[in-house]
């Protein structure tokens, strides 16, 4: 696979971008113990550089089908900037880049200010026409969403991407909206942000039982949460891999059954004949049927309800779970009904909120029972699956093998995905892996949205059409007179 570099391409210090930088970037990123480029070097026989603007990757015959795409996505880092720095350590000086903006000022934890590169090498490329219209872009960071929204309302920030369905439904009864000074819009998109889920840490002995995980999953009343908390703004996520056919709609194909047949003794028999179904409720808070089903499953797994507490029949110890999260308190109102439902079947769950540093320390040391996580899976998954679901990663301290899976069926499907040689093979193996994750109840899939909710002050203008994949402000512009009149 060959790449020819643009001969005018430079980093923002005017240092030319060469094949040496590509090699440095490849070696650095593929040597990391985690990430989408980890282990990619195993499929490269050698790298040749016929010229400073020409690089050739010689691929081994058994390379994964998606490897050329992943190579094309490789970021190019400046070797001369990083050669005397530790790439693994945090720095507070601005890293050198090659794009249309460079970092001008940093206030740690509060602000990153970027200014437009006037002599940006790519400004005249056709792909960049109409983009990068602001001389300065400032990103403000807030620890609290309420404070961030107040900053927007007061005019300290120009645009606000709304992430709270309740605030979108009830928080915009503003004079500025009525006067037309603030505009807002829901912009449909076809993006996938990855699968959001409540994740079980099955390293814990009491969560290793499939029946226990299934019983806990029954206590998430999605229909009530959707109606009572989200104002019906989201859809229940029904697949870890949203680009494949939903296993909730169809039984497994013949090809999937053949792939999974060697593991029939460890997989639920229903997986081979039925589509996966999510618990359905009326959305009125009444989940008596699900409670009864959950208690039956827990009883079969060796637990019984005694005076309002779920007690293990052998150890006589109650079931207590710890759910960890970071961020503001808004998440707590979402997960609290789930916790209350668990309490009705005798399970005591403690919700622990912490700062980001402490949260990642707990993840690395696997000190939790459940947490919420968004798996950043590609449209066509590959090597990153090793980090999240493969048994080889179960003891890694990078915080990505949250579930702690050691499932031979999962391992086999991941290896089939990585080594797929056709689109059909890739999708069959991905669908089979998806069914395993769902039927084994390794996590409880949450929800997703299909629109961007954005509000902005009227001096910002945008193109008539929005792209179906991705959204940012780099095609917007400012009309200065409107800004001054505001």
């Amino acid at each position: 696979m060959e790449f020819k570099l643009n001969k005018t391409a430079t980093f923002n210090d005017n240092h030319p971008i060469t094949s040496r930088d590509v090699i440095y970037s490849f070696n650095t990123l593929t040597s990391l113990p985690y990430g989408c480029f980890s282990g990619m070097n195993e499929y490269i026989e050698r790298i040749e550089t016929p010229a400073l603007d020409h690089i050739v990757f010689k691929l081994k015959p058994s390379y994964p089908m998606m490897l050329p795409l992943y190579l094309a996505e490789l970021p190019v880092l400046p070797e001369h900037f990083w050669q005397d720095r530790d790439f693994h350590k945090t720095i507070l000086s601005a890293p050198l880049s090659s794009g249309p903006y460079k970092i001008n000022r940093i206030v740690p934890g509060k602000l990153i200010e970027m200014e437009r590169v006037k002599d940006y090498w790519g400004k005249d490329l056709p792909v960049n026409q109409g983009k990068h219209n602001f001389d300065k872009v400032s990103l403000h960071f807030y620890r609290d969403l309420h404070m961030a929204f107040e900053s927007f309302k007061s005019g300290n920030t120009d645009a606000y991407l709304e992430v709270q369905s309740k605030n979108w439904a009830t928080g915009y009864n503003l004079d500025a909206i009525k006067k037309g000074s603030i505009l807002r819009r829901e912009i449909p998109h076809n993006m996938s942000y990855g699968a959001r889920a409540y994740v079980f840490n099955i390293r814990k002995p009491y969560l290793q039982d499939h029946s226990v995980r299934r019983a806990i999953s029954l206590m998430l009343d999605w229909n009530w949460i959707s109606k009572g908390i989200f104002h019906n703004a989201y859809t229940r996520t029904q697949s870890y891999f949203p680009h494949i056919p939903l296993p909730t709609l169809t039984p497994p194909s013949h090809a999937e059954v053949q792939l999974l047949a060697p593991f029939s003794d460890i997989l639920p028999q229903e997986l081979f004949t039925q589509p996966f179904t999510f618990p359905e409720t009326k959305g009125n808070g009444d989940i008596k049927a699900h409670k009864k089903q959950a208690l039956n499953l827990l009883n079969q797994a060796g637990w019984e309800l005694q005076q309002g507490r779920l007690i293990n029949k052998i150890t006589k110890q109650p079931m207590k779970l710890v759910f960890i999260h970071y961020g503001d308190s808004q998440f707590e109102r979402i997960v609290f009904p789930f916790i209350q439902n668990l309490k009705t079947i005798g399970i005591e769950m403690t919700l622990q909120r912490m700062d980001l540093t402490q949260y990642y320390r707990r993840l690395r040391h696997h000190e939790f029972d459940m947490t919420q996580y968004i798996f950043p899976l590609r449209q066509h998954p590959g090597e990153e699956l090793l980090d999240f679901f493969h048994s080889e990663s179960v003891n890694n301290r990078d915080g990505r093998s949250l579930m702690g899976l050691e499932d031979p069926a999962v391992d086999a499907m991941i290896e089939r995905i990585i080594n797929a040689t056709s689109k059909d093979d890739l999708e069959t193996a991905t669908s089979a892996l998806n069914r395993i994750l769902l039927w084994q109840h390794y996590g409880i899939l949450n929800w997703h949205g299909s629109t961007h909710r954005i509000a902005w002050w009227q001096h910002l203008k945008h193109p008539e059409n929005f792209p179906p994949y991705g959204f940012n402000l780099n095609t917007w512009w400012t009309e200065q007179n409107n800004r001054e009149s505001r």
Side-chain angles (χ1 to χ4, degrees), residues 38 90 102 118 147 152 176 191 200-201 229 233 240 249 254 265 350 355-357 413 421:
S38 176
T90 300
K102 63 181 179 180
K118 294 180 180 179
M147 294 301 296
F152 168 70
M191 294 177 63
F200 292 106
N201 178 10
I229 296 179
Y240 283 88
L249 301 179
H254 177 69
D265 57 332
T350 302
D355 62 41
L356 192 59
T357 300
M413 295 308 107
T421 57

Side-chain angles (χ1 to χ4, degrees), residues 378-426:
R378 293 185 174 107
Q379 289 283 355
H380 295 285
E383 298 281 340
E384 74 277 9
L385 296 176
L386 296 171
D387 293 337
F388 298 122
F389 306 123
H390 200 279
S391 59
E392 290 181 355
S393 301
V394 70
N395 295 317
N396 287 355
R397 292 297 178 89
D398 57 26
R400 288 164 70 88
S401 179
L402 298 183
M403 296 173 174
L405 297 190
E406 293 185 276
D407 187 325
V410 168
D411 289 354
M413 295 308 107
I414 291 175
E415 288 157 15
R416 292 295 294 256
I417 290 170
I418 292 174
N419 296 308
T421 57
S422 71
K423 185 173 182 290
D424 287 343
D425 289 346
L426 175 66

Side-chain angles (χ1 to χ4, degrees), residues 93-108:
S93 57
L96 180 63
S97 65
S98 60
Y101 289 91
K102 63 181 179 180
I103 295 176
N104 181 48
R105 185 164 68 102
I106 300 174
V107 181

Side-chain angles (χ1 to χ4, degrees), residues 432-445:
L433 173 60
N434 194 37
R435 292 181 192 277
I436 298 171
L437 296 174
L438 291 171
W439 278 98
Q440 295 286 51
H441 296 276
Y442 289 129
I444 307 174
L445 286 178

Side-chain angles (χ1 to χ4, degrees), residues 106-204:
I106 300 174
V107 181
K110 294 184 178 180
L111 171 72
I112 294 179
E113 184 180 276
M114 298 178 291
E115 64 178 14
R116 184 161 53 172
V117 178
K118 294 180 180 179
D119 58 349
Y120 170 48
W121 66 271
K123 66 180 180 180
D124 294 325
L125 295 177
V127 71
N128 287 325
Q129 296 308 296
K131 296 181 181 178
H132 318 129
N133 302 309
F134 302 107
D135 289 328
K136 184 174 72 173
V137 175
S138 299
L139 303 178
H140 296 267
F141 296 87
Y142 296 89
R143 295 180 181 271
D144 182 87
L145 286 175
H146 174 73
M147 294 301 296
F149 187 54
E150 290 300 316
S151 173
F152 168 70
K153 290 195 298 183
S154 65
N156 291 330
T157 51
D158 299 300
Y160 188 76
L161 194 63
E162 182 61 70
V163 296
Q164 293 182 294
S165 57
K166 179 182 179 181
N167 197 50
W168 187 254
T170 64
Y172 286 80
N173 186 23
L174 310 172
D175 288 339
I177 292 278
K178 297 172 184 177
K179 294 177 181 178
S181 300
I182 291 179
L183 307 173
R184 67 175 189 149
R185 181 171 174 179
E186 290 191 43
I187 303 172
H189 66 76
N190 296 321
M191 294 177 63
S192 169
Y193 284 111
R196 183 194 303 266
Y198 293 160
V199 175
F200 292 106
N201 178 10
I202 65 170
R203 298 174 183 87
K204 304 289 184 165

